[in-house]
Amino acid sequence: MRFDHNKNTKVPYYLRNIIRLFIPGFIYRAKLDRVLKNIVINDYIESRVSYYNKLNEKFSLPDNANSISDFKKEKKKTYYFDLLEYFRFFDTTKKIMYLFGDVIDIPKNPSFVKSRPIDGDNKNSVLMKLDKVRHFIYVNDKLEFEEKKGMAVWRGIAHNLQRQKVIYQYFNHPLCDIAHSRKNDIINNDCYRKKMSLNEQLQFKYILSIEGNDVASNLKWIMSSNSLAFMPKPKYETWFMEGTLIANHHYVLVNDDFSDLEDKINYYNLHTEEAKKIISNANKYINQFKNKKTEDEISLLVLNKYFEKSGQ
């Protein structure tokens, strides 16, 4: 198995979070008032908190809601650790609801989730930065756009119809290196090619971002690179606020069935400066998620709003 230096390694992540488990909770809880008081709340901070937590009316949690003291480690350990990092600042008697995994439906009661539908009344889906060790990856791309291959690339699991159609349509296309990377997948071994590291994919000018169970997990690292993200209009969003991305400003919009993919490749092969401007916009968008202090403050404010609106 090849080591991909661009991916986050989980060992430091787990080590850091396990060490936190041995720090008494009262130490964090004693800091909360001071931390909240010291946050400089400006329009930017307010807009992000309001985006993640759209609960503007008082609400009541059901009797079966858990308390923070009942919050236990489950199979999805990264979700547990990512929520516990901020839960520990609050009184353990406070009630919470949460859903782990790839959530594509809006819960009946206000709940903390990693993902939600962009459209519709999604206020009960309160976004937190979950499974971030897998999803929030940023690359150190040493290749300039002009140095890359003028082709589109994609590797992944073909577990939905959209991905399958793209693979079948472009598997042998001269402007594409597109294939599924798990043998005995839904489409069997047709159109199979071995996995590509992030570094190998960065050799290409255009990288497809295709939603899977929920969001496309590769979008963050594509937008941090010197390659151009090609994707249809997203249907789901996470802490990354995919719903705020502007087509042909942060990424290149393609049809849902990628029927215009060849035309878009040919266009941006001829319009290099336009491609680089979109890449620059994408890089700037990414930068807002790299400030750990700001991310921590926003996370605490999202939780604090949840507790205030639930009368806690």
Side-chain angles (χ1 to χ4, degrees), residues 182-236:
R182 186 168 72 180
K183 287 184 177 180
N184 302 315
D185 208 342
I186 294 171
I187 55 177
N188 299 315
N189 290 331
D190 296 336
C191 307
Y192 166 82
R193 287 180 186 148
K194 67 178 182 178
K195 287 183 178 180
M196 273 187 165
S197 69
L198 271 59
N199 204 46
E200 289 170 327
Q201 294 178 61
L202 292 173
Q203 309 297 311
F204 295 79
K205 287 184 176 179
Y206 316 110
I207 305 176
L208 305 190
S209 187
I210 312 174
E211 290 181 324
N213 292 327
D214 54 11
V215 297
S217 61
N218 67 349
L219 182 59
K220 290 92 166 171
W221 66 258
I222 298 172
M223 287 180 58
S224 73
S225 75
N226 295 324
S227 293
L228 198 54
F230 277 18
M231 72 171 184
K233 184 179 178 181
K235 297 177 177 63
Y236 304 105

Side-chain angles (χ1 to χ4, degrees), residues 120-250:
D121 183 5
N122 59 12
K123 67 177 179 294
N124 279 353
S125 300
V126 181
L127 291 174
M128 290 293 287
K129 195 173 185 178
L130 304 182
D131 201 16
K132 57 192 173 190
V133 70
R134 174 173 177 260
H135 282 267
F136 281 81
I137 296 172
Y138 312 117
V139 297
N140 179 21
D141 191 355
K142 297 179 180 178
L143 276 181
E144 296 299 327
F145 180 77
E146 295 90 340
E147 300 176 279
K148 298 170 183 271
K149 301 174 187 176
M151 300 170 62
V153 66
W154 186 82
R155 285 293 187 280
I157 301 171
H159 51 38
N160 65 33
L161 189 59
Q162 186 179 47
R163 289 184 173 191
Q164 292 165 24
K165 284 183 176 179
V166 172
I167 292 166
Y168 279 130
Q169 188 175 355
Y170 293 102
F171 180 68
N172 286 316
H173 196 286
L175 287 176
C176 301
D177 189 344
I178 294 172
H180 77 93
S181 56
R182 186 168 72 180
K183 287 184 177 180
N184 302 315
D185 208 342
I186 294 171
I187 55 177
N188 299 315
N189 290 331
D190 296 336
C191 307
Y192 166 82
R193 287 180 186 148
K194 67 178 182 178
K195 287 183 178 180
M196 273 187 165
S197 69
L198 271 59
N199 204 46
E200 289 170 327
Q201 294 178 61
L202 292 173
Q203 309 297 311
F204 295 79
K205 287 184 176 179
Y206 316 110
I207 305 176
L208 305 190
S209 187
I210 312 174
E211 290 181 324
N213 292 327
D214 54 11
V215 297
S217 61
N218 67 349
L219 182 59
K220 290 92 166 171
W221 66 258
I222 298 172
M223 287 180 58
S224 73
S225 75
N226 295 324
S227 293
L228 198 54
F230 277 18
M231 72 171 184
K233 184 179 178 181
K235 297 177 177 63
Y236 304 105
E237 65 180 352
T238 63
W239 188 265
F240 193 60
M241 303 187 294
E242 285 88 346
T244 69
L245 294 173
I246 302 170
N248 303 319
H249 178 81
H250 295 117

